[in-house]
Amino acid sequence: MPHRQLVAKELGQLFSVFSHPDRIRIVEELRDGERDVNALQAALDTTHSRTSQNLAILRAHRLVAERREGRHVYYRLVNPDMARWVLEGLRFIEADLEHEQRRRSAIEEVRQLWQPEPGGSTS
């Protein structure tokens, strides 16, 4: 398999991990260090099962690691830069929102220009 194709496949698999909002939120929750499953569940306001399933996916892709201490399981980011990388993704959302706001403004301006004058004819 050519190198570019292999790398593109690997990146595609990595990006697919972030296709679920809970997994993005877990990465952000782990930004400042370890958290146990209960703390993550509370932060995400979701079920224990759902939190565990998403952690399993992150673990399978080697994005998080676990540490057991008695009955508690703590998770941490394998590469803390991942949280900064996710945060950088906000720039793309902001750019899209700026474009959307310009488009809405243009539509409103045109609506005002094309609005018939009160008492004027519409034909």
Side-chain angles (χ1 to χ4, degrees):
M1 177 180 290
H3 298 301
R4 288 178 12 183
Q5 190 175 11
L6 176 65
V7 170
K9 180 181 176 187
E10 292 289 325
L11 282 171
Q13 290 173 346
L14 174 63
F15 291 156
S16 74
V17 173
F18 293 102
S19 66
H20 196 284
D22 287 351
R23 293 192 287 268
I24 294 170
R25 292 180 60 210
I26 288 170
V27 168
E28 287 306 310
E29 287 296 325
L30 296 175
R31 165 185 293 282
D32 296 322
E34 285 186 331
R35 303 283 299 268
D36 71 351
V37 177
N38 294 330
L40 290 170
Q41 175 189 346
L44 272 62
D45 191 27
T46 188
T47 65
H48 185 83
S49 171
R50 184 169 162 173
T51 303
S52 293
Q53 288 171 351
N54 283 305
L55 283 165
I57 292 169
L58 290 168
R59 212 174 43 250
H61 286 86
R62 299 174 307 280
L63 298 178
V64 298
E66 65 179 36
R67 176 181 66 84
R68 295 184 181 274
E69 188 174 291
R71 294 176 50 126
H72 292 279
V73 180
Y74 294 90
Y75 289 89
R76 65 175 172 77
L77 292 175
V78 170
N79 184 344
D81 286 336
M82 183 60 61
R84 286 189 287 278
W85 180 75
V86 169
L87 186 62
E88 283 295 312
L90 294 177
R91 291 187 330 178
F92 296 98
I93 295 171
E94 288 172 332
D96 192 46
L97 291 175
E98 289 172 15
H99 175 73
E100 182 66 24
Q101 183 57 41
R102 284 194 303 269
R103 202 170 98 200
R104 286 177 191 242
S105 295
I107 289 170
E108 188 55 37
E109 186 176 320
V110 169
R111 179 178 282 124
Q112 295 298 321
L113 288 171
W114 291 354
Q115 184 83 359
E117 302 231 0
S121 74
T122 58
S123 52

